[in-house]
Amino acid sequence: MEWSRLLCDERIRPVRTKAGAGDLRTEYEKDYHRIIGSASFRRLQDKTQVFPLDRSDFIRTRLTHSLEVSSFGKSLGQNISRKILQEVKDPAFKPEYQGYICDILQCAGLLHDIGNPPFGHFGETVIRQWFRAHMGRLVLGDKPLTEWLSPQMQADFYEFEGNTQALRLVTKLHYLVDEHGMNLTQALLGTIIKYPVSSLEIDGESGDIRTKKMGYYYAERDLFEQIQRALGTEGHRHPLAFVLEAADDIAYRTADVEDAFKKGCITYHQLVAELQACGKNLGAGEKYDQLVDALEERYQKGQKREVSNPEAYAVQNWIVRIQGELLACATDRFAQDYWEIMAGTCKRELLTGEDRARLAAALGDIAYRYAFTSEPIYKLEIAAETIMDFLLERFVDAAIVYDSGQPMTAVQTKLMALVSDNYKAIYRYYSREKSPEEKLYLRLLLVTDSICGMTDSYAKRLYQELSGIA
Protein backbone atom coordinates (compact mmCIF):
# COMPACT_ATOMS: atom_id res chain seq x y z
CA MET A 1 0.00 0.00 0.00
CA GLU A 2 1.16 3.52 -0.77
CA TRP A 3 0.53 6.63 1.34
CA SER A 4 -0.03 8.72 -1.77
CA ARG A 5 -3.16 6.65 -2.41
CA LEU A 6 -4.08 5.85 1.21
CA LEU A 7 -4.50 9.58 1.89
CA CYS A 8 -6.85 10.08 -1.05
CA ASP A 9 -8.79 13.31 -0.43
CA GLU A 10 -11.32 12.72 -3.21
CA ARG A 11 -14.97 12.29 -2.28
CA ILE A 12 -17.54 9.78 -3.52
CA ARG A 13 -19.31 12.63 -5.28
CA PRO A 14 -16.69 15.07 -6.58
CA VAL A 15 -17.07 18.60 -5.26
CA ARG A 16 -16.18 21.52 -7.47
CA THR A 17 -14.51 24.39 -5.63
CA LYS A 18 -15.03 27.78 -7.17
CA ALA A 19 -11.84 29.57 -8.12
CA GLY A 20 -10.96 32.33 -5.67
CA ALA A 21 -13.43 31.06 -3.08
CA GLY A 22 -10.92 31.80 -0.32
CA ASP A 23 -11.40 28.51 1.57
CA LEU A 24 -7.88 27.42 2.54
CA ARG A 25 -8.89 24.36 4.53
CA THR A 26 -7.67 20.92 3.48
CA GLU A 27 -10.33 18.41 2.46
CA TYR A 28 -9.79 16.58 5.76
CA GLU A 29 -10.41 19.78 7.73
CA LYS A 30 -13.65 20.20 5.80
CA ASP A 31 -14.59 16.66 6.87
CA TYR A 32 -14.15 17.70 10.50
CA HIS A 33 -16.61 20.57 10.18
CA ARG A 34 -19.15 18.41 8.33
CA ILE A 35 -19.06 15.92 11.21
CA ILE A 36 -19.13 18.42 14.07
CA GLY A 37 -22.12 20.22 12.58
CA SER A 38 -24.19 17.08 12.01
CA ALA A 39 -27.28 16.07 13.96
CA SER A 40 -26.01 12.47 13.97
CA PHE A 41 -22.93 13.54 15.91
CA ARG A 42 -24.96 15.63 18.38
CA ARG A 43 -27.21 12.65 19.13
CA LEU A 44 -24.22 10.86 20.66
CA GLN A 45 -24.68 13.03 23.75
CA ASP A 46 -27.72 10.90 24.61
CA LYS A 47 -26.34 7.47 23.76
CA THR A 48 -24.86 5.05 26.26
CA GLN A 49 -21.19 4.25 26.62
CA VAL A 50 -21.41 1.71 29.48
CA PHE A 51 -24.31 2.58 31.81
CA PRO A 52 -27.66 2.67 29.93
CA LEU A 53 -30.12 5.41 30.91
CA ASP A 54 -27.74 6.67 33.60
CA ARG A 55 -28.62 10.02 35.18
CA SER A 56 -25.12 10.92 36.36
CA ASP A 57 -23.47 13.96 34.79
CA PHE A 58 -20.03 12.41 35.27
CA ILE A 59 -20.51 9.10 33.45
CA ARG A 60 -19.34 9.13 29.85
CA THR A 61 -21.70 9.12 26.90
CA ARG A 62 -20.92 8.13 23.33
CA LEU A 63 -20.25 11.81 22.63
CA THR A 64 -17.63 12.30 25.35
CA HIS A 65 -16.11 8.92 24.51
CA SER A 66 -15.87 9.87 20.83
CA LEU A 67 -14.19 13.15 21.71
CA GLU A 68 -11.62 11.24 23.76
CA VAL A 69 -10.99 8.77 20.93
CA SER A 70 -10.61 11.69 18.53
CA SER A 71 -8.04 13.29 20.81
CA PHE A 72 -6.09 10.06 21.26
CA GLY A 73 -6.25 9.40 17.54
CA LYS A 74 -4.73 12.77 16.74
CA SER A 75 -1.98 12.24 19.34
CA LEU A 76 -1.17 8.83 17.91
CA GLY A 77 -1.09 10.35 14.43
CA GLN A 78 1.52 12.85 15.57
CA ASN A 79 3.63 10.24 17.38
CA ILE A 80 3.49 7.63 14.64
CA SER A 81 4.25 10.11 11.86
CA ARG A 82 7.38 11.24 13.69
CA LYS A 83 8.43 7.62 14.19
CA ILE A 84 8.05 6.95 10.48
CA LEU A 85 10.03 10.05 9.55
CA GLN A 86 12.78 9.69 12.15
CA GLU A 87 13.16 5.93 12.75
CA VAL A 88 11.40 3.88 10.08
CA LYS A 89 12.51 6.33 7.38
CA ASP A 90 10.12 5.24 4.68
CA PRO A 91 11.17 7.41 1.71
CA ALA A 92 7.58 7.40 0.40
CA PHE A 93 6.29 9.09 3.56
CA LYS A 94 6.40 12.86 3.06
CA PRO A 95 6.57 15.33 6.00
CA GLU A 96 3.26 16.95 5.03
CA TYR A 97 1.52 13.60 5.52
CA GLN A 98 1.76 14.07 9.29
CA GLY A 99 -0.83 16.85 9.29
CA TYR A 100 -3.14 14.92 6.97
CA ILE A 101 -2.95 11.81 9.14
CA CYS A 102 -3.71 13.77 12.31
CA ASP A 103 -6.76 15.37 10.70
CA ILE A 104 -8.04 12.05 9.36
CA LEU A 105 -7.67 10.30 12.72
CA GLN A 106 -9.26 13.21 14.56
CA CYS A 107 -12.29 12.87 12.28
CA ALA A 108 -12.31 9.07 12.45
CA GLY A 109 -12.43 9.22 16.25
CA LEU A 110 -15.56 11.37 16.07
CA LEU A 111 -17.19 8.93 13.65
CA HIS A 112 -16.23 5.52 15.00
CA ASP A 113 -19.40 5.09 17.11
CA ILE A 114 -21.77 7.31 15.14
CA GLY A 115 -23.70 4.31 13.82
CA ASN A 116 -24.26 2.66 17.20
CA PRO A 117 -27.86 1.99 18.30
CA PRO A 118 -29.27 3.13 21.65
CA PHE A 119 -28.02 1.48 24.86
CA GLY A 120 -24.40 0.91 23.92
CA HIS A 121 -22.94 -2.34 22.65
CA PHE A 122 -25.81 -4.15 24.33
CA GLY A 123 -28.11 -2.54 21.76
CA GLU A 124 -26.08 -4.19 18.99
CA THR A 125 -26.42 -7.54 20.74
CA VAL A 126 -30.20 -7.16 21.01
CA ILE A 127 -30.53 -6.42 17.28
CA ARG A 128 -28.43 -9.47 16.35
CA GLN A 129 -30.31 -11.76 18.72
CA TRP A 130 -33.73 -10.48 17.63
CA PHE A 131 -33.13 -11.22 13.96
CA ARG A 132 -31.57 -14.60 14.69
CA ALA A 133 -34.61 -15.53 16.78
CA HIS A 134 -37.34 -14.13 14.52
CA MET A 135 -36.17 -14.08 10.89
CA GLY A 136 -37.40 -17.63 10.34
CA ARG A 137 -40.99 -16.85 11.38
CA LEU A 138 -41.39 -13.58 9.43
CA VAL A 139 -43.23 -13.84 6.11
CA LEU A 140 -44.06 -11.70 3.10
CA GLY A 141 -46.92 -13.08 1.05
CA ASP A 142 -46.67 -16.82 1.39
CA LYS A 143 -42.87 -17.02 1.70
CA PRO A 144 -40.73 -16.75 4.84
CA LEU A 145 -38.11 -14.02 4.75
CA THR A 146 -35.36 -16.63 4.82
CA GLU A 147 -36.50 -17.68 1.32
CA TRP A 148 -36.67 -14.10 0.07
CA LEU A 149 -33.25 -12.97 1.28
CA SER A 150 -29.83 -14.16 0.11
CA PRO A 151 -27.42 -15.62 2.70
CA GLN A 152 -25.44 -12.34 2.82
CA MET A 153 -28.58 -10.26 3.24
CA GLN A 154 -29.63 -12.41 6.18
CA ALA A 155 -26.14 -12.45 7.70
CA ASP A 156 -26.03 -8.64 7.64
CA PHE A 157 -28.72 -8.67 10.34
CA TYR A 158 -27.46 -11.72 12.22
CA GLU A 159 -24.01 -10.06 12.49
CA PHE A 160 -25.23 -6.47 12.89
CA GLU A 161 -22.46 -4.02 13.86
CA GLY A 162 -22.47 -0.36 14.81
CA ASN A 163 -19.16 0.08 12.97
CA THR A 164 -20.80 -1.14 9.77
CA GLN A 165 -23.78 1.11 10.36
CA ALA A 166 -21.41 4.08 10.67
CA LEU A 167 -20.24 3.62 7.08
CA ARG A 168 -23.85 3.46 5.89
CA LEU A 169 -24.83 6.51 7.91
CA VAL A 170 -22.08 8.84 6.69
CA THR A 171 -22.26 7.72 3.05
CA LYS A 172 -26.04 7.60 2.59
CA LEU A 173 -28.32 8.32 5.52
CA HIS A 174 -27.10 11.72 6.69
CA TYR A 175 -28.87 13.90 4.16
CA LEU A 176 -26.47 16.84 3.83
CA VAL A 177 -27.03 17.74 0.18
CA ASP A 178 -28.10 14.54 -1.54
CA GLU A 179 -28.06 10.76 -1.33
CA HIS A 180 -24.28 10.64 -0.70
CA GLY A 181 -24.60 11.42 3.01
CA MET A 182 -21.83 13.58 4.43
CA ASN A 183 -19.78 12.89 1.26
CA LEU A 184 -16.54 12.53 3.19
CA THR A 185 -13.05 11.91 1.82
CA GLN A 186 -12.25 8.36 0.83
CA ALA A 187 -9.19 8.30 3.10
CA LEU A 188 -11.48 8.90 6.08
CA LEU A 189 -14.00 6.30 4.92
CA GLY A 190 -11.23 3.74 4.54
CA THR A 191 -9.99 4.48 8.05
CA ILE A 192 -13.36 3.82 9.71
CA ILE A 193 -13.73 0.43 7.95
CA LYS A 194 -12.03 -1.59 10.69
CA TYR A 195 -12.97 -4.96 9.24
CA PRO A 196 -12.78 -5.03 5.41
CA VAL A 197 -14.90 -8.17 4.98
CA SER A 198 -18.57 -8.94 4.37
CA SER A 199 -20.90 -10.65 6.84
CA LEU A 200 -20.20 -13.99 5.10
CA GLU A 201 -16.43 -13.61 5.49
CA ILE A 202 -16.32 -13.18 9.27
CA ASP A 203 -13.91 -15.62 10.90
CA GLY A 204 -13.25 -14.94 14.56
CA GLU A 205 -10.94 -17.96 14.76
CA SER A 206 -8.63 -16.95 11.90
CA GLY A 207 -6.19 -15.06 14.12
CA ASP A 208 -6.44 -12.14 11.69
CA ILE A 209 -7.98 -9.01 13.22
CA ARG A 210 -9.43 -7.95 9.85
CA THR A 211 -11.96 -10.83 9.83
CA LYS A 212 -13.18 -10.42 13.42
CA LYS A 213 -16.40 -8.64 12.36
CA MET A 214 -17.98 -7.35 9.18
CA GLY A 215 -17.14 -3.95 7.75
CA TYR A 216 -19.86 -3.28 5.18
CA TYR A 217 -23.40 -4.35 4.33
CA TYR A 218 -24.50 -5.95 1.08
CA ALA A 219 -26.19 -2.60 0.38
CA GLU A 220 -22.80 -0.84 0.40
CA ARG A 221 -20.86 -3.50 -1.53
CA ASP A 222 -20.28 -1.27 -4.59
CA LEU A 223 -19.28 1.66 -2.40
CA PHE A 224 -16.83 -0.54 -0.49
CA GLU A 225 -15.21 -1.70 -3.73
CA GLN A 226 -14.96 1.90 -4.93
CA ILE A 227 -13.17 2.94 -1.73
CA GLN A 228 -10.84 -0.06 -1.94
CA ARG A 229 -9.87 0.80 -5.51
CA ALA A 230 -9.29 4.47 -4.73
CA LEU A 231 -7.07 3.71 -1.71
CA GLY A 232 -5.28 0.68 -3.12
CA THR A 233 -6.05 -1.38 -0.03
CA GLU A 234 -7.28 -4.42 -2.00
CA GLY A 235 -9.11 -6.09 0.88
CA HIS A 236 -6.50 -5.17 3.49
CA ARG A 237 -6.99 -2.91 6.47
CA HIS A 238 -6.15 0.74 5.94
CA PRO A 239 -3.05 1.36 8.14
CA LEU A 240 -4.87 4.12 9.99
CA ALA A 241 -7.62 1.65 10.97
CA PHE A 242 -5.05 0.05 13.29
CA VAL A 243 -4.45 3.45 14.86
CA LEU A 244 -8.16 4.23 15.23
CA GLU A 245 -8.69 0.86 16.92
CA ALA A 246 -5.86 1.57 19.37
CA ALA A 247 -7.25 5.03 20.19
CA ASP A 248 -10.65 3.46 20.90
CA ASP A 249 -9.13 0.73 23.06
CA ILE A 250 -7.11 3.22 25.10
CA ALA A 251 -10.16 5.41 25.64
CA TYR A 252 -12.64 2.77 26.70
CA ARG A 253 -10.30 0.51 28.71
CA THR A 254 -9.20 3.38 30.93
CA ALA A 255 -12.50 5.26 31.01
CA ASP A 256 -14.57 2.18 31.87
CA VAL A 257 -12.49 1.61 35.00
CA GLU A 258 -12.72 5.26 36.00
CA ASP A 259 -16.49 5.29 35.44
CA ALA A 260 -16.88 2.04 37.38
CA PHE A 261 -14.98 3.61 40.27
CA LYS A 262 -17.14 6.74 40.17
CA LYS A 263 -20.31 4.60 40.15
CA GLY A 264 -19.09 2.67 43.19
CA CYS A 265 -18.82 -0.61 41.30
CA ILE A 266 -15.20 -1.01 42.42
CA THR A 267 -13.27 0.57 45.29
CA TYR A 268 -9.72 1.89 45.17
CA HIS A 269 -8.41 -0.99 47.28
CA GLN A 270 -10.22 -3.56 45.14
CA LEU A 271 -8.66 -2.01 42.03
CA VAL A 272 -5.15 -2.26 43.51
CA ALA A 273 -5.71 -5.89 44.54
CA GLU A 274 -7.12 -6.81 41.12
CA LEU A 275 -4.22 -5.22 39.26
CA GLN A 276 -1.70 -7.02 41.43
CA ALA A 277 -3.49 -10.35 40.96
CA CYS A 278 -3.73 -9.81 37.21
CA GLY A 279 -0.01 -9.09 37.08
CA LYS A 280 0.75 -12.43 38.69
CA ASN A 281 -1.71 -14.35 36.52
CA LEU A 282 -0.47 -12.75 33.30
CA GLY A 283 3.16 -13.11 34.20
CA ALA A 284 3.55 -9.41 33.54
CA GLY A 285 6.97 -7.87 33.76
CA GLU A 286 8.75 -5.05 35.54
CA LYS A 287 7.05 -2.27 33.61
CA TYR A 288 3.62 -3.58 34.59
CA ASP A 289 4.61 -3.67 38.26
CA GLN A 290 5.92 -0.11 38.05
CA LEU A 291 2.65 1.14 36.59
CA VAL A 292 0.61 -0.61 39.30
CA ASP A 293 2.91 0.82 41.98
CA ALA A 294 2.27 4.27 40.49
CA LEU A 295 -1.38 3.99 41.58
CA GLU A 296 -0.43 3.53 45.24
CA GLU A 297 2.11 6.35 44.96
CA ARG A 298 -0.65 8.69 43.84
CA TYR A 299 -2.85 7.59 46.72
CA GLN A 300 -0.08 8.38 49.19
CA LYS A 301 0.50 11.70 47.47
CA GLY A 302 -3.19 12.52 47.84
CA GLN A 303 -3.02 11.73 51.55
CA LYS A 304 0.00 13.99 52.01
CA ARG A 305 -1.79 16.80 50.25
CA GLU A 306 -4.82 16.15 52.44
CA VAL A 307 -7.21 16.04 49.50
CA SER A 308 -10.78 15.25 50.47
CA ASN A 309 -10.86 11.97 48.56
CA PRO A 310 -7.37 10.48 48.07
CA GLU A 311 -8.82 7.37 46.40
CA ALA A 312 -10.50 9.39 43.64
CA TYR A 313 -7.41 11.60 43.36
CA ALA A 314 -5.25 8.51 42.87
CA VAL A 315 -7.49 6.79 40.33
CA GLN A 316 -8.10 9.86 38.16
CA ASN A 317 -4.44 10.89 38.05
CA TRP A 318 -3.28 7.34 37.50
CA ILE A 319 -5.65 6.93 34.55
CA VAL A 320 -4.00 9.92 32.85
CA ARG A 321 -0.58 8.31 33.37
CA ILE A 322 -1.77 5.00 31.94
CA GLN A 323 -3.27 6.67 28.88
CA GLY A 324 0.13 8.18 28.12
CA GLU A 325 1.82 4.81 28.53
CA LEU A 326 -0.66 3.10 26.22
CA LEU A 327 -0.24 5.81 23.59
CA ALA A 328 3.50 5.12 23.68
CA CYS A 329 2.86 1.37 23.48
CA ALA A 330 0.66 1.73 20.37
CA THR A 331 3.18 4.09 18.77
CA ASP A 332 6.08 1.70 19.31
CA ARG A 333 4.11 -1.27 18.03
CA PHE A 334 3.06 0.55 14.84
CA ALA A 335 6.71 1.39 14.13
CA GLN A 336 7.80 -2.21 14.81
CA ASP A 337 5.07 -3.67 12.59
CA TYR A 338 5.23 -0.87 10.01
CA TRP A 339 6.27 -2.89 6.95
CA GLU A 340 3.81 -5.69 7.76
CA ILE A 341 1.02 -3.15 8.15
CA MET A 342 1.88 -1.52 4.83
CA ALA A 343 2.03 -4.92 3.13
CA GLY A 344 -1.38 -5.86 4.53
CA THR A 345 0.02 -8.89 6.35
CA CYS A 346 -0.20 -7.65 9.95
CA LYS A 347 -2.84 -9.71 11.73
CA ARG A 348 -2.71 -8.29 15.28
CA GLU A 349 -3.87 -5.10 16.92
CA LEU A 350 -1.37 -2.54 18.22
CA LEU A 351 -1.96 -3.04 21.95
CA THR A 352 -0.32 -6.45 22.13
CA GLY A 353 2.89 -8.09 23.11
CA GLU A 354 4.37 -6.23 26.08
CA ASP A 355 3.80 -5.14 29.67
CA ARG A 356 1.86 -1.98 28.90
CA ALA A 357 -0.42 -3.92 26.58
CA ARG A 358 -0.99 -6.50 29.33
CA LEU A 359 -2.13 -3.68 31.58
CA ALA A 360 -4.70 -2.65 28.97
CA ALA A 361 -6.01 -6.22 28.91
CA ALA A 362 -6.16 -6.29 32.73
CA LEU A 363 -8.17 -3.05 32.82
CA GLY A 364 -10.65 -4.46 30.31
CA ASP A 365 -11.10 -7.60 32.39
CA ILE A 366 -11.60 -5.63 35.61
CA ALA A 367 -14.16 -3.31 34.02
CA TYR A 368 -16.08 -6.29 32.65
CA ARG A 369 -16.26 -8.13 35.96
CA TYR A 370 -17.05 -5.15 38.17
CA ALA A 371 -19.15 -2.92 35.89
CA PHE A 372 -20.58 -4.89 32.99
CA THR A 373 -21.69 -7.80 35.19
CA SER A 374 -22.98 -5.69 38.07
CA GLU A 375 -26.60 -5.78 39.25
CA PRO A 376 -27.37 -2.18 38.18
CA ILE A 377 -26.15 -2.93 34.65
CA TYR A 378 -28.20 -6.14 34.50
CA LYS A 379 -31.37 -4.25 35.43
CA LEU A 380 -30.72 -1.47 32.93
CA GLU A 381 -29.90 -3.92 30.14
CA ILE A 382 -33.07 -5.92 30.79
CA ALA A 383 -35.04 -2.70 30.46
CA ALA A 384 -33.10 -1.80 27.29
CA GLU A 385 -33.84 -5.22 25.76
CA THR A 386 -37.55 -4.81 26.46
CA ILE A 387 -37.53 -1.46 24.66
CA MET A 388 -35.47 -2.65 21.67
CA ASP A 389 -37.43 -5.89 21.22
CA PHE A 390 -40.71 -3.95 21.19
CA LEU A 391 -39.48 -1.42 18.62
CA LEU A 392 -38.02 -4.11 16.36
CA GLU A 393 -41.18 -6.20 16.53
CA ARG A 394 -43.49 -3.32 15.62
CA PHE A 395 -41.39 -1.60 12.97
CA VAL A 396 -40.21 -4.77 11.21
CA ASP A 397 -43.83 -5.94 10.97
CA ALA A 398 -44.72 -2.67 9.23
CA ALA A 399 -41.63 -2.43 7.04
CA ILE A 400 -42.06 -5.92 5.55
CA VAL A 401 -45.27 -4.90 3.76
CA TYR A 402 -44.33 -1.22 3.17
CA ASP A 403 -43.86 -0.55 -0.57
CA SER A 404 -44.45 -4.25 -1.34
CA GLY A 405 -47.84 -4.03 -3.02
CA GLN A 406 -49.36 -5.90 -0.09
CA PRO A 407 -52.14 -4.18 1.91
CA MET A 408 -51.05 -2.44 5.12
CA THR A 409 -53.07 -2.15 8.29
CA ALA A 410 -53.83 1.28 9.72
CA VAL A 411 -51.30 0.72 12.51
CA GLN A 412 -48.58 -0.37 10.07
CA THR A 413 -49.18 2.77 8.03
CA LYS A 414 -48.90 4.95 11.13
CA LEU A 415 -45.71 3.20 12.24
CA MET A 416 -44.03 3.87 8.89
CA ALA A 417 -45.14 7.49 9.15
CA LEU A 418 -42.99 7.73 12.29
CA VAL A 419 -39.86 6.75 10.34
CA SER A 420 -37.65 9.67 9.26
CA ASP A 421 -38.72 11.15 5.92
CA ASN A 422 -35.03 11.44 5.01
CA TYR A 423 -34.45 7.74 5.63
CA LYS A 424 -37.51 6.83 3.56
CA ALA A 425 -36.28 9.10 0.75
CA ILE A 426 -32.94 7.30 0.81
CA TYR A 427 -34.77 3.97 0.69
CA ARG A 428 -36.78 5.09 -2.35
CA TYR A 429 -33.65 6.34 -4.12
CA TYR A 430 -31.58 3.19 -3.61
CA SER A 431 -34.47 0.75 -4.15
CA ARG A 432 -35.28 2.04 -7.64
CA GLU A 433 -35.21 -0.74 -10.23
CA LYS A 434 -34.13 -3.26 -7.58
CA SER A 435 -35.56 -6.76 -7.34
CA PRO A 436 -38.37 -7.48 -4.85
CA GLU A 437 -35.83 -9.41 -2.75
CA GLU A 438 -33.41 -6.50 -2.49
CA LYS A 439 -36.23 -4.05 -1.82
CA LEU A 440 -37.33 -6.22 1.12
CA TYR A 441 -33.73 -6.27 2.39
CA LEU A 442 -33.53 -2.47 2.13
CA ARG A 443 -36.81 -2.13 4.03
CA LEU A 444 -35.37 -4.18 6.89
CA LEU A 445 -32.32 -1.92 6.82
CA LEU A 446 -34.74 0.99 7.00
CA VAL A 447 -35.83 -0.34 10.40
CA THR A 448 -32.30 -0.73 11.75
CA ASP A 449 -31.43 2.68 10.26
CA SER A 450 -34.36 4.22 12.13
CA ILE A 451 -33.63 2.53 15.46
CA CYS A 452 -29.90 3.28 15.28
CA GLY A 453 -30.75 6.93 14.73
CA MET A 454 -32.62 7.05 18.05
CA THR A 455 -31.08 8.27 21.28
CA ASP A 456 -31.55 6.32 24.50
CA SER A 457 -34.15 8.78 25.78
CA TYR A 458 -36.10 8.90 22.52
CA ALA A 459 -36.21 5.10 22.25
CA LYS A 460 -37.48 4.85 25.83
CA ARG A 461 -40.05 7.58 25.30
CA LEU A 462 -41.29 6.09 22.01
CA TYR A 463 -41.66 2.68 23.63
CA GLN A 464 -43.69 4.19 26.45
CA GLU A 465 -45.91 6.16 24.07
CA LEU A 466 -46.57 3.22 21.73
CA SER A 467 -47.18 0.90 24.69
CA GLY A 468 -49.68 3.30 26.25
CA ILE A 469 -47.48 3.78 29.33
CA ALA A 470 -48.08 7.18 30.91
Side-chain angles (χ1 to χ4, degrees), residues 440-458:
L440 171 60
Y441 163 74
L442 292 174
R443 292 198 298 275
L444 293 178
L445 276 182
L446 182 57
V447 175
T448 52
D449 291 342
S450 181
I451 290 177
C452 287
M454 298 179 186
T455 63
D456 291 14
S457 297
Y458 179 82

Side-chain angles (χ1 to χ4, degrees), residues 302-462:
Q303 287 183 313
K304 288 180 181 178
R305 291 188 173 183
E306 298 182 347
V307 298
S308 59
N309 189 336
E311 291 90 350
Y313 173 89
V315 171
Q316 289 175 292
N317 281 276
W318 183 74
I319 288 294
V320 174
R321 160 76 183 275
I322 298 308
Q323 289 168 346
E325 292 285 347
L326 295 178
L327 288 170
C329 175
T331 300
D332 292 342
R333 174 57 62 183
F334 190 96
Q336 291 166 20
D337 293 348
Y338 180 77
W339 296 111
E340 285 184 63
I341 290 171
M342 295 301 291
T345 58
C346 186
K347 297 181 179 181
R348 57 183 173 271
E349 59 189 18
L350 297 183
L351 291 180
T352 56
E354 55 120 293
D355 296 344
R356 292 173 297 188
R358 292 190 184 99
L359 179 59
L363 291 174
D365 176 66
I366 292 167
Y368 175 78
R369 287 187 289 108
Y370 280 85
F372 289 85
T373 60
S374 64
E375 183 176 322
I377 287 290
Y378 285 153
K379 291 179 179 178
L380 291 168
E381 288 184 341
I382 291 169
E385 182 177 26
T386 301
I387 294 168
M388 293 284 285
D389 279 352
F390 175 87
L391 295 175
L392 285 163
E393 182 74 33
R394 301 307 298 273
F395 281 101
V396 167
D397 177 70
I400 288 173
V401 290
Y402 174 74
D403 191 39
S404 68
Q406 299 283 336
M408 297 180 70
T409 67
V411 171
Q412 288 171 336
T413 301
K414 290 179 173 64
L415 282 163
M416 292 309 298
L418 296 177
V419 175
S420 163
D421 289 336
N422 283 345
Y423 287 2
K424 286 185 288 190
I426 292 299
Y427 161 76
R428 288 192 294 271
Y429 179 86
Y430 284 102
S431 66
R432 291 181 306 180
E433 300 181 3
K434 292 293 193 297
S435 67
E437 293 81 6
E438 191 160 349
K439 284 186 175 182
L440 171 60
Y441 163 74
L442 292 174
R443 292 198 298 275
L444 293 178
L445 276 182
L446 182 57
V447 175
T448 52
D449 291 342
S450 181
I451 290 177
C452 287
M454 298 179 186
T455 63
D456 291 14
S457 297
Y458 179 82
K460 178 184 177 183
R461 185 167 65 252
L462 184 61

Side-chain angles (χ1 to χ4, degrees), residues 46-99:
D46 190 17
K47 286 195 175 186
T48 294
Q49 172 63 15
V50 176
F51 298 92
L53 304 172
D54 193 86
R55 294 186 177 90
S56 170
D57 290 335
F58 176 86
I59 300 304
R60 288 167 171 85
T61 65
R62 283 287 164 191
L63 179 64
T64 53
H65 168 69
S66 296
L67 291 170
E68 289 176 338
V69 175
S70 176
S71 175
F72 291 144
K74 183 175 182 178
S75 294
L76 283 170
Q78 292 171 329
N79 294 347
I80 286 169
S81 295
R82 290 171 188 164
K83 281 271 189 181
I84 297 172
L85 289 167
Q86 297 171 8
E87 297 181 20
V88 177
K89 296 184 178 179
D90 179 356
F93 190 89
K94 299 178 181 179
E96 59 265 31
Y97 290 170
Q98 177 172 343

Side-chain angles (χ1 to χ4, degrees), residues 114-345:
I114 203 166
N116 279 33
F119 313 121
H121 289 299
F122 185 71
E124 296 173 282
T125 300
V126 173
I127 292 174
R128 288 193 290 266
Q129 291 179 346
W130 191 90
F131 278 104
R132 288 171 183 170
H134 298 286
M135 187 76 86
R137 70 167 177 79
L138 299 171
V139 296
L140 174 61
D142 58 355
K143 284 171 54 178
L145 265 55
T146 49
E147 293 184 19
W148 280 96
L149 303 178
S150 71
Q152 185 176 349
M153 291 176 183
Q154 294 178 52
D156 283 356
F157 298 101
Y158 301 153
E159 305 293 341
F160 176 85
E161 277 295 326
N163 286 326
T164 310
Q165 185 69 20
L167 179 66
R168 178 168 170 79
L169 173 64
V170 300
T171 57
K172 292 181 178 177
L173 302 180
H174 182 86
Y175 207 94
L176 182 64
V177 175
D178 55 23
E179 65 280 355
H180 295 291
M182 294 184 188
N183 198 31
L184 303 169
T185 59
Q186 298 197 59
L188 176 54
L189 296 177
T191 299
I192 66 172
I193 300 174
K194 293 170 66 176
Y195 310 102
V197 297
S198 73
S199 56
L200 294 180
E201 298 170 299
I202 298 170
D203 184 358
E205 304 300 319
S206 70
D208 190 340
I209 190 67
R210 62 182 285 277
T211 64
K212 182 180 178 181
K213 301 175 183 177
M214 70 168 167
Y216 64 95
Y217 295 129
Y218 176 81
E220 279 71 62
R221 63 197 184 281
D222 293 337
L223 174 68
F224 173 77
E225 292 298 332
Q226 179 181 343
I227 295 168
Q228 292 278 294
R229 287 193 300 271
L231 301 177
T233 43
E234 300 178 357
H236 303 306
R237 258 190 167 190
H238 193 295
L240 298 185
F242 286 92
V243 185
L244 174 62
E245 178 182 56
D248 186 22
D249 287 348
I250 293 168
Y252 84 78
R253 288 182 189 274
T254 55
D256 288 355
V257 169
E258 185 179 7
D259 284 355
F261 171 80
K262 282 288 185 179
K263 287 285 293 181
C265 299
I266 186 170
T267 67
Y268 164 79
H269 296 291
Q270 285 175 321
L271 177 58
V272 172
E274 286 287 350
L275 289 168
Q276 291 172 338
C278 285
K280 292 178 182 178
N281 294 336
L282 292 170
E286 182 180 352
K287 184 65 175 178
Y288 181 101
D289 293 335
Q290 290 173 351
L291 293 174
V292 174
D293 290 343
L295 176 57
E296 294 186 280
E297 291 170 6
R298 278 157 176 74
Y299 175 73
Q300 293 165 4
K301 190 174 182 179
Q303 287 183 313
K304 288 180 181 178
R305 291 188 173 183
E306 298 182 347
V307 298
S308 59
N309 189 336
E311 291 90 350
Y313 173 89
V315 171
Q316 289 175 292
N317 281 276
W318 183 74
I319 288 294
V320 174
R321 160 76 183 275
I322 298 308
Q323 289 168 346
E325 292 285 347
L326 295 178
L327 288 170
C329 175
T331 300
D332 292 342
R333 174 57 62 183
F334 190 96
Q336 291 166 20
D337 293 348
Y338 180 77
W339 296 111
E340 285 184 63
I341 290 171
M342 295 301 291
T345 58

